[in-house]
Amino acid sequence: MIPKDHPRYDSLVLRARMVEASRKGILADSAMIAHGRGEAFDYLIGERTTEPAEKAVKAAAAALILAEHPVISVNGNTTALVLEDIVKLSEVLNAPIEINLFYRTPQRIERIEKMLNEAGAKKVLGTDHEEKALIKGLKGPRANASREGVYKADVVIVPLEDGDRAEALVANGKKVITVDLNPLSRTAKTSSITIVDNVVRAVPLLIEKVEELKNLDENELENVLNHFNNSRNLKETLKIVSKAYTGDVEL
Amino acid sequence: MIPKDHPRYDSLVLRARMVEASRKGILADSAMIAHGRGEAFDYLIGERTTEPAEKAVKAAAAALILAEHPVISVNGNTTALVLEDIVKLSEVLNAPIEINLFYRTPQRIERIEKMLNEAGAKKVLGTDHEEKALIKGLKGPRANASREGVYKADVVIVPLEDGDRAEALVANGKKVITVDLNPLSRTAKTSSITIVDNVVRAVPLLIEKVEELKNLDENELENVLNHFNNSRNLKETLKIVSKAYTGDVEL
């Protein structure tokens, strides 16, 4: 048990979730390393949801509500960190969850599928017992997507996605929403809407915003979306991170 | 095998070393996460040895040559990443290597000891078959140090050290040299000489500098040391990292 008054309590809880997920066999070898990168970048934005992140979440909520076929794409790390919230997001959006793994193995797919189902997920795609279609621009098993999921989707939310796949999804005409703590990553730069925040803060906030904006009409939602500019928003984030470094130093 | 023309080749080689070390059982649960944090911070300094890092390495070389009882303190990650170079550094300095683990287990100690011995280390301390002494200001098993190693040392080089221990070593009157990619960490701020660089670049460079400065007399070495100011040097590093964020954005 981690003592609640530990100065790094939140961070240690997430680490414990990752270690647990690793023991369950749902993570790739490099998953812990990716989590550590996230820790470092989270530290630089002050381990809080920044104003630009909140703007991105709002735009993401509008895009997902407006979508005809929204899909939530998850990998091992996302499942390890925000399983319950992903299931809840899928409920409020009435959107399927698709498992997409960078290092795909039948064992990992099966275990993640089981965890999602046990958490109450209504529709889990990307499993090994369904028809696949190929996403253009990707090679090997990573090109596979569920025919009724990511392949058909107009809007995909893919937290913690790699650069190649984010690029390919955008090139295939999809609106891509990502959650990525590194504002300089290829995924962050390529995606349509980039939420630079920890997935454990971003997903609950996204659920809130979806519930808040659900009552708006189509025009109002389009308005929210048109007011959002991803590259401008990323620049605002970069300013914040840069200040984390210069805050205690005179330049 | 990682293809040599992969744009992230160097980084992937290090990851492979970490995965290998994890399979050998020399790493703590959180070691991969720490490595990931390092990857993120390394990315922000451009994955190269910066000018301030080179200055710190030079000062470190002078301090280690001047030391009466220099000790090289290693943990699992350092062993995983730069085993051969650590052994070589210990040879050029004629200094013992001491194993100090944050999460100490007899298995990990034994395996790291074996790896160091197989790599040709002349004197390995911190093992479970020797007398220990307590470092004041630390609690539990982490307070243990080898009586003829860190406990007696005037200068300790401790790459990838945690903040508590770095502080305690300094409080116990030792000159502490660390290698830490996060210029804002407590270890970085507390240590006497902080090398903000990847340990795989810093240790070979340190060996070079030791061989280069070995011929200087005591006064000349003291001069090198007195010209070095750790907090000023850290500020120079912060400027570089801050520019990594602002480089492609107009503020």
Side-chain angles (χ1 to χ4, degrees):
Chain A
M1 281 296 290
I2 302 152
K4 284 224 168 170
D5 60 349
H6 192 290
R8 308 278 318 139
Y9 178 79
D10 290 341
S11 176
L12 293 177
V13 166
L14 298 190
R15 255 186 227 180
R17 277 187 216 167
M18 289 297 291
V19 169
E20 173 65 19
S22 169
R23 289 194 181 129
K24 279 189 185 157
I26 70 162
L27 300 181
D29 276 344
S30 54
M32 289 287 187
I33 294 177
H35 185 74
R37 279 199 306 278
E39 275 192 7
F41 287 113
D42 199 9
Y43 171 87
L44 295 174
I45 55 166
E47 294 172 323
R48 68 196 161 88
T49 300
T50 63
E51 218 182 293
E54 202 168 334
K55 280 187 206 166
V57 169
K58 195 174 168 187
L64 286 163
I65 299 169
L66 282 167
E68 272 184 53
H69 296 294
V71 171
I72 304 163
S73 173
V74 299
N75 65 6
N77 286 37
T78 302
T79 307
L81 293 170
V82 280
L83 173 64
E84 281 82 11
D85 289 318
I86 286 291
V87 171
K88 196 166 170 200
L89 180 65
S90 119
E91 267 168 34
V92 297
L93 290 171
N94 195 23
I97 300 167
E98 178 165 338
I99 309 169
N100 270 295
L101 304 182
F102 193 91
Y103 299 104
R104 191 181 178 97
T105 69
Q107 291 77 16
R108 290 183 62 214
I109 293 284
E110 201 181 300
R111 284 168 190 165
I112 293 173
E113 186 184 358
K114 190 163 167 259
M115 282 173 77
L116 286 165
N117 285 330
E118 283 174 1
K122 298 245 161 53
K123 195 167 187 179
V124 178
L125 302 172
T127 63
D128 277 341
H129 36 82
E130 70 177 280
E131 200 189 352
K132 295 296 190 314
L134 294 178
I135 298 288
K136 269 180 247 163
L138 289 174
K139 283 176 196 163
R142 292 166 52 209
N144 280 310
S146 161
R147 188 169 285 281
E148 49 165 338
V150 166
Y151 185 77
K152 193 176 79 173
D154 52 344
V155 179
V156 187
I157 172 160
V158 278
L160 319 181
E161 184 54 282
D162 85 293
D164 276 354
R165 203 144 57 183
E167 270 181 6
L169 291 175
V170 169
N172 280 269
K174 296 171 197 310
K175 197 182 277 293
V176 173
I177 301 164
T178 196
V179 183
D180 190 325
L181 276 159
N182 179 2
L184 293 170
S185 76
R186 205 149 44 97
T187 302
K189 288 175 176 171
T190 313
S191 296
S192 322
I193 299 173
T194 304
I195 303 165
V196 179
D197 202 3
N198 193 317
V199 77
V200 304
R201 293 189 302 269
V203 180
L205 185 62
L206 181 57
I207 294 168
E208 244 179 61
K209 290 282 173 195
V210 168
E211 283 174 333
E212 197 182 307
L213 301 187
K214 252 200 308 208
N215 306 314
L216 298 187
D217 65 32
E218 207 162 305
N219 278 338
E220 289 169 315
L221 289 168
E222 292 282 5
N223 236 336
V224 169
L225 211 47
N226 291 335
H227 269 80
F228 179 78
N229 178 316
N230 202 48
S231 75
R232 198 175 57 210
N233 204 57
L234 279 175
K235 282 182 187 176
E236 281 176 30
T237 309
L238 291 175
K239 278 193 217 175
I240 290 168
V241 187
S242 173
K243 272 189 196 148
Y245 273 110
T246 56
D248 63 353
V249 52
E250 280 165 36
L251 290 185
Chain B
M1 283 295 289
I2 302 151
K4 286 224 167 169
D5 60 349
H6 192 289
R8 307 277 319 138
Y9 178 79
D10 290 340
S11 175
L12 293 177
V13 165
L14 298 189
R15 255 186 225 179
R17 277 188 216 166
M18 289 297 291
V19 169
E20 174 65 19
S22 169
R23 290 194 181 128
K24 279 188 185 157
I26 68 162
L27 300 181
D29 275 344
S30 54
M32 288 288 188
I33 294 178
H35 184 74
R37 280 199 303 278
E39 274 192 9
F41 287 113
D42 199 9
Y43 171 86
L44 294 174
I45 56 166
E47 295 171 323
R48 70 198 159 88
T49 300
T50 63
E51 217 182 293
E54 201 167 337
K55 281 187 207 167
V57 169
K58 196 175 168 186
L64 286 163
I65 298 168
L66 282 167
E68 274 185 51
H69 296 294
V71 171
I72 304 162
S73 172
V74 299
N75 64 7
N77 286 38
T78 303
T79 308
L81 292 170
V82 279
L83 174 64
E84 281 82 11
D85 290 317
I86 285 291
V87 171
K88 195 166 172 201
L89 179 65
S90 120
E91 267 168 34
V92 297
L93 290 172
N94 194 23
I97 300 167
E98 177 165 338
I99 310 170
N100 271 295
L101 305 184
F102 192 92
Y103 299 104
R104 190 180 177 97
T105 69
Q107 292 76 15
R108 290 182 63 212
I109 293 284
E110 200 180 298
R111 285 169 190 165
I112 292 173
E113 186 185 359
K114 189 164 168 257
M115 282 172 76
L116 286 165
N117 286 329
E118 283 175 1
K122 298 244 160 53
K123 195 167 188 179
V124 179
L125 302 171
T127 63
D128 278 342
H129 37 81
E130 73 178 277
E131 201 189 353
K132 296 295 190 313
L134 294 179
I135 298 288
K136 270 180 246 162
L138 288 174
K139 283 178 195 161
R142 291 165 52 206
N144 281 309
S146 162
R147 187 169 287 280
E148 51 164 335
V150 165
Y151 184 77
K152 192 177 78 173
D154 53 344
V155 180
V156 187
I157 171 161
V158 277
L160 321 181
E161 185 54 284
D162 85 292
D164 276 354
R165 203 144 56 185
E167 269 181 7
L169 292 175
V170 169
N172 280 270
K174 296 170 197 310
K175 199 182 273 295
V176 173
I177 301 164
T178 196
V179 183
D180 191 325
L181 277 160
N182 179 3
L184 293 171
S185 77
R186 202 148 46 96
T187 301
K189 288 175 177 171
T190 312
S191 297
S192 323
I193 299 173
T194 304
I195 303 165
V196 181
D197 202 4
N198 194 317
V199 77
V200 304
R201 292 188 303 267
V203 179
L205 185 61
L206 181 57
I207 295 168
E208 246 178 61
K209 290 280 173 197
V210 168
E211 284 175 334
E212 195 181 308
L213 301 188
K214 251 199 311 206
N215 306 315
L216 298 188
D217 65 31
E218 209 163 304
N219 279 338
E220 289 169 317
L221 288 168
E222 293 281 4
N223 237 337
V224 169
L225 212 46
N226 292 334
H227 268 80
F228 179 78
N229 177 317
N230 202 49
S231 75
R232 199 175 55 210
N233 205 57
L234 279 175
K235 282 182 188 176
E236 281 176 32
T237 309
L238 291 175
K239 277 194 218 176
I240 291 168
V241 187
S242 173
K243 272 189 197 149
Y245 273 110
T246 55
D248 64 353
V249 52
E250 280 164 37
L251 291 183

